[in-house]
Structures are given as C-alpha cells and as structure tokens.
C-alpha cells in the first residue's frame, strides 16, 4: 500500500526492548507497525486503545528508512516479517509457545480493524538456537531449498536451485524484489554475511545484486559468487576469494643410473631459454598435492609413479591476476613394474605429451643444476640443492615404504577427519 498499513502484534514483550517502550496500563499491550512512504514505525498502545478504534501513543522506534519506492509498496506479508523480527517474535527470549501475528490494512483514521487479512505463526526462538539450528522463515521470498545458513550467522542464496526449469527461474525484476525483501528481513534478524551464487545462464541477475550492494567474491567456469556484509559500522569479515594457486614439480630418480627425469616444454618461459626442468603442473580443484604429482608425471611423460615425499616448497606472490603461488617439489618413485623391466634388460620408455612437451629424458642432476638460469638465482640454487641432497640419499626401490630411511622431507598421511565424514591429506616431517 502507498499510504499506510497497520499490523496488530499481540506478544509477550521481548526483554531486549527498553522498559519505556512497554505499556504499563495493560498486560495485553501490543505494537502498531505503520509503513508510510517507506518509513517503518513502531507504536506501543494498550488493549483499551485498540477497543476504542483510535489507537494512540507515541512512536517509539524507527527501524528502517527505505531507499526505494518499491520498498515503500512492500506487501503485507513482508511487513509482517519485518515487524515480527523487529519486535522480537523472531529471536524472542521465550521459546515455550508460538505467537500469532495478525495483519490488517486500513487508513489511519479507522485504526485497526478486527478483520485479519493474513495470519502467520512464527515460532519463538532464541538467537543462540537460531544460530545452532536455524529454521526457515516462511516469509522469506526465497524457498528453503535455495538457502543455506552457516555457523557465522550468514546466509547463502544458491540461484542454481531456482533455475531447474525455465518456469521456476526468476525474472530480473522479480529477483530484484525478492532480494530487497530478503535483505530487509535478514537485517532485522541481525544476519551478517550474505552470499549469492549465480550461474552463468542467469548472469543478467548480477546487476540486481550489485545494485543492492553486493560485490564479486570469486568466479569459476559456470558460476560466480557475490557477497554483502550487513552489519553497519563494522568492516566486512568475509574472506577474500581464492588467493593462491598450488603447483607441483616431480623429481624422479632412475633406479640404476641415478639420473633425474627432466623435460623441455614446447611453449612458455622455460621454452624460451630451452631449459630442462622437472615435470610440473597445477593441482586441479579438490586434488591433493601427492595425487597431482603422480597425475602430472603420467600426463607429461607416460610414466606410472608413486608419491614418496615432499622435499621442499616455495611461496611466491604477484602471479596471474595478482594471485600467490605455492609450489611443492615432490620426490616420486617409479612403479615396481619398471624395476622388473630393468632387471630383465629392458629400458624405460618415455612418452612425451605431444601438445606440451618437446623432449623428455633422464639427465645428470649436476648438469641440471648447472644450467645458467638456475645458477643466477639464489632461490633456485637452494631448491636444486635440496633436490640434489634428496637424490644422493637415493630411493630404496626394494623397500615397502614402512621402514624409515635417512632422507628428510614431508611424507603424506591420508587420515579420516573423525568429527565429520571424509578424510584429509596431512604432510608431516619424516623425522618427527
């Protein structure tokens, strides 16, 4: 309505409200909530005033001033939600009984009609209970299946759940209205970080999100994520988007000659210098370092290998799009089948990846370390020195891996998390 909407809210007072906001003349006092030109007003009145048909009293609380004409014309259902959250029906201290919120639309001269046009039951929950096990607010414009509440009092809206069919996908105008109403409710519920996941197929909704104050957090093929921090007067504590990429280099030592596996690439900075280098690559999303090392060896050289340990790792900054980089040097063993092949007089066949690798060979490690580009870099001299020391220790290909050897490094242990499903890889010093 463009003029005024009144809501009569019988309730037990929330202890969070000051005593001056309560009516002393009647235990059945309530709040009148008025929406007029975008201003939401709370007025405390008594039951006798309600019966007279002319509620009187002083406006006690200003809760929000709309910045949009659309918000001034918010429907009755949203106003009920805003009022309920504002006076404590959502987040009240009492949790013993539900409170019924009755709504009626009238002009100011007639007061509050006894005829309710909408009624919604909202279960009282304490703030702590909402944090631990939040219940879906039925007055939110987004379905429960599209919302996920986190333990930091935040909410994620997954638009992909609304776009299963063309019929269920919201239009730009509808989404703008839904988002505006939801944000108002979440502000009154004192939510903090709001996240929106928008699929590429509905990128036209991004403009609506940014107009409501959202900004980009990160993007991946198929979707982007935007965030908004709701608390006023405090800096956002939401995390930045991904800041690092993770890469691996795989050191493989020939079981007989002691030479290391090296490749020359067809393109890139290493190709410009005709540099011999370890097989390297980036981890895939959700991929452990140990798994990535074995995969890259197979892709670039055709060899089947087994991860042994991390020799060292390097961190750098200012890479692609200013991302940082973590690079792990991994010592890997050739699979047992190659040892049997060598014992029978066979040779290890290398199959360079045609698209990326120009050559793949086993070369002398000292020759590798003496390349001019490496010698000019204190950083890579240190890295190559760690590799040389690991190579001199050698790998006992006849070992089952259960016995400790004299080599240092970080070995992988893939262990159950315990307090939730799944397992994680942890890399610990082989000497601890």
């Amino acid at each position: 309505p463009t003029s005024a909407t009144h809501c009569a809210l019988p309730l037990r007072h929330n202890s969070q409200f000051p005593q001056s906001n309560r009516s002393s003349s009647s235990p059945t006092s309530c709040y009148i909530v008025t929406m007029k030109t975008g201003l939401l007003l709370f007025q405390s009145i008594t039951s006798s005033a309600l019966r007279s048909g002319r509620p009187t009293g002083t406006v006690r609380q200003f809760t929000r001033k709309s910045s949009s004409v659309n918000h001034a014309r918010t429907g009755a259902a949203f106003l009920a939600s805003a009022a309920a959250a504002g006076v404590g029906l959502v987040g009240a201290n009492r949790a013993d009984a539900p409170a019924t919120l009755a709504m009626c639309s009238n002009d100011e001269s007639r007061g509050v009609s006894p005829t309710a046009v909408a009624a919604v039951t909202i279960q009282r929950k304490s703030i702590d209970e909402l944090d631990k096990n939040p219940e879906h607010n039925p007055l939110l414009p987004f379905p429960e299946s599209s919302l996920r509440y986190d333990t930091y009092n935040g909410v994620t809206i997954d638009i992909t759940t609304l776009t299963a069919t063309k019929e269920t996908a919201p239009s730009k105008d509808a989404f703008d209205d839904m988002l505006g109403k939801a944000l108002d409710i979440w502000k009154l519920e004192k939510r903090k970080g709001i996240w929106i996941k928008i699929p590429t197929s509905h990128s036209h909704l991004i403009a609506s999100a940014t107009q409501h104050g959202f900004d980009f957090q990160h993007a991946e093929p198929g979707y982007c994520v935007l965030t908004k921090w709701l608390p006023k007067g405090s800096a956002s504590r939401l995390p930045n988007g991904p800041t690092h990429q993770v890469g691996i280099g795989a050191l493989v030592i020939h079981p007989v000659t002691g030479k290391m596996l090296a490749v020359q690439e067809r393109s890139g900075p290493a190709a410009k210098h005709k540099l011999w280098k370890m097989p390297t690559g980036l981890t895939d999303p959700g991929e452990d370092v140990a798994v990535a090392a074995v995969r890259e060896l197979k892709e670039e050289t055709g060899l089947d290998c087994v991860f042994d340990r991390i020799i060292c790792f390097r961190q750098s900054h200012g890479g692609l799009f200013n991302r940082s980089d973590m690079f792990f040097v991994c010592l890997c063993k050739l699979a047992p089948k190659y040892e049997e092949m060598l014992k029978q007089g066979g040779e290890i066949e290398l199959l360079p990846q045609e698209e990326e690798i120009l050559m793949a060979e086993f070369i002398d490690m000292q020759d590798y370390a003496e390349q001019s580009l490496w010698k000019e870099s204190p950083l890579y001299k240190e890295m190559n020195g760690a590799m040389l020391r690991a190579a001199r220790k050698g790998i006992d290909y006849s070992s089952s891996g259960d016995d400790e050897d004299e080599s240092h490094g970080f070995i992988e242990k893939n262990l159950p998390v315990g307090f939730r499903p799944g397992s994680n890889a942890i890399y610990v010093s082989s000497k601890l």
Side-chain angles (χ1 to χ4, degrees), residues 188-247:
L188 292 169
E189 291 180 345
K190 299 189 183 301
R191 298 290 176 185
K192 294 182 178 180
I194 310 300
W195 307 66
I196 304 179
K197 180 180 179 181
I198 300 179
T200 304
S201 59
H202 281 71
S203 56
H204 62 281
L205 301 180
I206 293 174
S208 294
T210 57
Q211 288 169 5
H212 282 283
F214 284 79
D215 205 347
F216 292 99
Q217 204 266 356
H218 75 277
E220 299 286 348
Y223 71 91
C224 71
V225 173
L226 298 93
T227 61
K228 178 180 174 68
W229 182 252
L230 291 186
K232 297 292 185 181
S234 66
S236 173
R237 296 203 296 273
L238 294 176
N240 294 322
T243 60
H244 283 66
Q245 65 180 16
V246 178

Side-chain angles (χ1 to χ4, degrees), residues 64 77-82 85-86 90 137-141 178-191 230:
R64 63 175 284 277
F78 164 61
L79 184 56
S81 173
V90 175
N137 187 335
L139 299 175
L140 283 167
M178 293 166 69
L179 185 57
K181 292 176 181 178
L183 287 174
D184 283 326
I185 293 174
W186 288 327
K187 287 175 184 176
L188 292 169
E189 291 180 345
K190 299 189 183 301
R191 298 290 176 185
L230 291 186

Side-chain angles (χ1 to χ4, degrees), residues 90-415:
V90 175
N93 291 331
R94 294 291 297 270
D96 54 342
T100 300
L101 182 152
M103 295 176 44
C104 40
S105 179
N106 310 273
D107 60 34
E108 289 187 305
S109 63
R110 291 179 58 194
V112 178
S113 166
T115 304
V117 297
V120 180
T121 298
I122 302 175
Q123 183 70 32
R124 288 188 177 94
K125 283 284 185 183
S126 71
I127 293 298
D128 289 341
E129 287 172 323
L130 284 170
D131 286 343
K132 292 176 181 177
N133 187 24
E135 292 182 358
H136 178 66
N137 187 335
L139 299 175
L140 283 167
F142 294 104
E144 184 174 8
S145 61
S146 68
L147 302 177
R148 180 174 58 82
Y149 298 87
D150 59 49
T151 55
Y152 298 95
N153 203 23
V155 186
T156 297
I157 312 169
D158 189 351
I159 302 303
T160 59
T161 63
L162 304 179
T163 58
T165 65
K166 187 176 181 180
E167 290 72 21
T168 61
S171 66
K172 181 180 181 299
D173 291 341
F175 176 72
D176 183 71
D177 185 57
M178 293 166 69
L179 185 57
K181 292 176 181 178
L183 287 174
D184 283 326
I185 293 174
W186 288 327
K187 287 175 184 176
L188 292 169
E189 291 180 345
K190 299 189 183 301
R191 298 290 176 185
K192 294 182 178 180
I194 310 300
W195 307 66
I196 304 179
K197 180 180 179 181
I198 300 179
T200 304
S201 59
H202 281 71
S203 56
H204 62 281
L205 301 180
I206 293 174
S208 294
T210 57
Q211 288 169 5
H212 282 283
F214 284 79
D215 205 347
F216 292 99
Q217 204 266 356
H218 75 277
E220 299 286 348
Y223 71 91
C224 71
V225 173
L226 298 93
T227 61
K228 178 180 174 68
W229 182 252
L230 291 186
K232 297 292 185 181
S234 66
S236 173
R237 296 203 296 273
L238 294 176
N240 294 322
T243 60
H244 283 66
Q245 65 180 16
V246 178
I248 62 90
L251 174 62
V252 178
I253 307 300
H254 194 286
V256 176
T257 66
K259 293 183 177 181
M260 69 171 286
L261 177 66
V263 298
Q264 284 192 2
E265 296 180 333
R266 290 185 179 276
S267 59
K272 179 180 177 181
H273 296 279
K274 296 183 178 180
L275 188 70
W276 285 103
K277 57 188 286 292
M278 294 176 288
T280 59
L282 296 176
T283 60
D284 290 334
E287 186 178 41
D288 290 335
V289 167
V291 176
V294 173
R295 175 184 54 78
E296 285 290 347
L297 281 167
K298 181 67 172 179
E299 291 177 357
E300 294 194 1
T301 68
L303 293 177
D304 294 314
C305 296
V306 179
F307 174 85
D308 186 75
R309 68 192 64 210
I310 292 172
I311 299 172
C312 61
F313 58 92
R314 178 222 67 206
Q315 183 178 24
S316 64
H317 307 285
L320 185 65
F321 297 112
N322 206 36
R323 283 193 178 183
S324 300
D325 179 87
M326 296 288 286
F327 181 76
F328 293 83
V329 180
C330 303
L331 184 63
C332 296
K333 295 181 180 181
L334 289 169
K337 65 180 181 180
Y338 297 108
E339 186 179 7
E340 294 299 321
M341 186 186 303
L342 291 170
K343 287 180 179 179
Q344 296 174 12
E347 294 293 335
I348 298 175
E349 183 182 10
L350 299 177
L351 302 173
Q353 186 181 35
E354 185 175 348
E355 296 83 1
E356 297 182 14
I357 305 302
L358 180 64
M359 291 186 290
E361 294 181 12
F362 283 96
I363 68 173
D364 186 88
M365 285 202 68
Q366 197 63 46
D367 292 341
Y368 174 87
E370 292 293 326
Q371 295 179 96
S372 59
L373 190 66
W374 293 149
K375 292 179 68 175
E376 295 171 4
S377 169
L379 172 67
Y380 281 92
K381 285 174 67 176
E382 183 70 27
M383 181 185 293
N384 292 336
M387 293 164 55
L388 282 166
R389 290 190 294 274
R392 290 193 187 106
K393 296 289 185 181
I395 298 179
D396 184 1
Y397 278 89
S398 63
S399 171
S400 64
D402 296 330
D403 300 327
E404 291 188 6
D405 57 34
E406 296 181 357
S407 299
H408 290 269
F410 296 90
I411 59 174
E412 180 205 25
K413 295 183 179 181
N414 200 292
L415 302 173

